[in-house]
Amino acid sequence: MAARKPRKPKTVSESAFMSAKWDELCKGRHFKAEDIPALTLLVQWYAVIERCMNDMDVGEGLPQIAYENKMGVIKRVPMISVMKQASAEIRQLNKQLGINDEAEPEAPKSGGVNVLKLVTENRQKRAAH
């Protein structure tokens, strides 16, 4: 059965970022109509993280992580807590929707040293002597 993209809600389609994220998440996956609310929340949480990252940008790709308040106290920017919550929500919604958000394990490189193979060969040599 070919993957079917659920109908994109108006609130998602009106945002270029959320619309592109929706398309990215739906590509090659099959979702049901009842998944639309969870997908909508998912793209909104991605938009929250994007907004926080933009708000924290101080130039040259560096984020602002602290500020000094009027009392002279150094405080962590509130966007860090918001991003932490958004990340947790994204992980939970991904799990609910069956989206694997874990990185693929790196394939072993051919031609490299295989430690297990070396240990096995050494044991076999010792056993032969």
Side-chain angles (χ1 to χ4, degrees), residues 6-22:
R7 189 177 56 78
K8 196 182 295 184
K10 184 178 179 184
T11 56
V12 172
S13 61
E14 288 177 345
S15 162
F17 177 85
M18 289 195 301
S19 182
K21 184 56 80 173
W22 179 282

Side-chain angles (χ1 to χ4, degrees), residues 40-53:
T40 302
L41 280 173
L42 183 57
V43 298
Q44 286 176 336
W45 280 115
Y46 273 111
V48 167
I49 287 183
E50 181 72 9
R51 176 63 184 262
C52 287
M53 289 173 32

Side-chain angles (χ1 to χ4, degrees), residues 101-122:
D101 64 345
E102 294 182 14
E104 295 286 326
E106 245 185 73
K109 295 177 180 158
S110 61
V113 177
N114 182 330
V115 176
L116 183 57
K117 183 178 178 182
L118 289 175
V119 170
T120 305
E121 289 173 356
N122 284 341

Side-chain angles (χ1 to χ4, degrees), residues 1-13 18-43 97 99:
M1 178 199 288
R4 183 172 49 95
K5 192 162 54 170
R7 189 177 56 78
K8 196 182 295 184
K10 184 178 179 184
T11 56
V12 172
S13 61
M18 289 195 301
S19 182
K21 184 56 80 173
W22 179 282
D23 293 341
E24 176 188 329
L25 290 168
C26 291
K27 185 178 180 182
R29 293 188 174 98
H30 177 76
F31 293 110
K32 298 175 246 148
E34 52 267 20
D35 294 328
I36 291 174
L39 278 167
T40 302
L41 280 173
L42 183 57
V43 298
L97 291 165
I99 298 171

Side-chain angles (χ1 to χ4, degrees), residues 38-110:
L39 278 167
T40 302
L41 280 173
L42 183 57
V43 298
Q44 286 176 336
W45 280 115
Y46 273 111
V48 167
I49 287 183
E50 181 72 9
R51 176 63 184 262
C52 287
M53 289 173 32
N54 288 337
D55 289 350
M56 291 171 59
D57 185 16
V58 293
E60 298 180 29
L62 300 173
Q64 176 184 358
I65 57 172
Y67 69 98
E68 186 175 349
N69 69 11
K70 292 177 183 178
M71 304 294 285
V73 178
I74 304 294
K75 296 212 162 227
R76 179 173 66 173
V77 295
M79 285 78 78
I80 293 173
S81 296
V82 173
M83 289 174 64
K84 185 177 178 181
Q85 180 185 355
S87 294
E89 296 292 338
I90 287 169
R91 280 190 299 279
Q92 182 58 40
L93 287 163
N94 278 344
K95 186 176 179 180
Q96 179 182 334
L97 291 165
I99 298 171
N100 182 5
D101 64 345
E102 294 182 14
E104 295 286 326
E106 245 185 73
K109 295 177 180 158
S110 61

